[in-house]
Amino acid sequence: MAVEHAEVQVRPGAEGDLGALTDLYNHYVSETPITFDTRPFTPEERRPWLLSHPEDGPHRLMVATDADSGRILGYATSSPHRPKPAYSTSVETTVYVAPDAGRRGIGTLLYKALFAALAGEDVHRAYAGIAQPNEASVRLHERFGFRYVGTYAEVGRKFGRYWDVAWYEKEL
């Protein structure tokens, strides 16, 4: 399933995207508290993550690309919420947009495509953990019908300080 918006195309992620996806994610690892990973990854270290998001099923990877250059502008995933079997109908979703591609509606396009892909799957709830503060992510999730359910206070330590994570859920 491909979605187009002006000069942006959204499609399922593929093996050839691994290097660019790793670079995009590593920016957030090294420069922000948005992810609680603390050291950059090599593409080979990220390969299992990529392979855990096939083109079908409840765990998806959607990428947004520049229609002209093919450059990856962002990605969204649905991943297992927790490893125990009773959680199988719950997913955790996330969106990452290239730092120079913000405010173009790319996160919105990615979530539209992701939730459309999940529509036929046996998924009951989506959850999103948002490191605070992150107003842009909160607005995106609320726009898609996520509702605030609570905050884990000072749950992660990165860059020499503690960070809260606000949790949101969406019925699917």
Side-chain angles (χ1 to χ4, degrees), residues 6-124:
E7 69 282 349
V8 178
Q9 180 181 22
V10 178
R11 60 167 174 76
E15 182 82 18
D17 300 327
L18 182 59
L21 291 171
T22 302
D23 289 345
L24 193 159
Y25 185 70
N26 281 341
H27 163 78
Y28 287 96
V29 170
S30 299
E31 304 297 326
T32 78
I34 289 172
T35 176
F36 285 177
D37 280 315
T38 57
R39 67 165 189 80
F41 290 85
T42 67
E44 281 308 307
E45 290 170 324
R46 286 289 280 178
R47 186 175 306 283
W49 165 83
L50 179 99
L51 297 176
S52 72
H53 295 90
E55 281 196 43
D56 59 358
H59 306 135
R60 305 284 184 108
L61 165 63
M62 304 303 289
V63 299
T65 61
D66 180 283
D68 294 328
S69 69
R71 175 178 166 252
I72 291 180
L73 302 172
Y75 69 90
T77 61
S78 59
S79 301
H81 174 62
R82 302 280 298 242
K84 296 179 181 174
Y87 289 111
S88 67
T89 60
S90 297
V91 293
E92 186 172 337
T93 62
T94 192
V95 173
Y96 288 92
V97 175
D100 63 343
R103 299 188 181 272
R104 292 177 50 191
I106 292 167
T108 297
L109 289 173
L110 285 163
Y111 258 4
K112 280 183 182 176
L114 180 65
F115 290 122
L118 292 177
E121 299 296 335
D122 183 21
V123 180
H124 183 62

Side-chain angles (χ1 to χ4, degrees), residues 90-168:
S90 297
V91 293
E92 186 172 337
T93 62
T94 192
V95 173
Y96 288 92
V97 175
D100 63 343
R103 299 188 181 272
R104 292 177 50 191
I106 292 167
T108 297
L109 289 173
L110 285 163
Y111 258 4
K112 280 183 182 176
L114 180 65
F115 290 122
L118 292 177
E121 299 296 335
D122 183 21
V123 180
H124 183 62
R125 289 273 193 279
Y127 295 91
I130 304 172
Q132 296 298 300
N134 189 339
E135 285 304 314
S137 187
V138 168
R139 281 192 309 274
L140 174 69
H141 286 85
E142 288 176 344
R143 199 167 38 246
F144 276 89
F146 282 80
R147 69 177 187 87
Y148 173 77
V149 292
T151 296
Y152 291 172
E154 297 184 350
V155 69
R157 186 172 66 189
K158 187 173 179 181
F159 303 137
R161 67 167 275 201
Y162 289 96
W163 301 91
D164 296 348
V165 174
W167 284 93
Y168 289 76

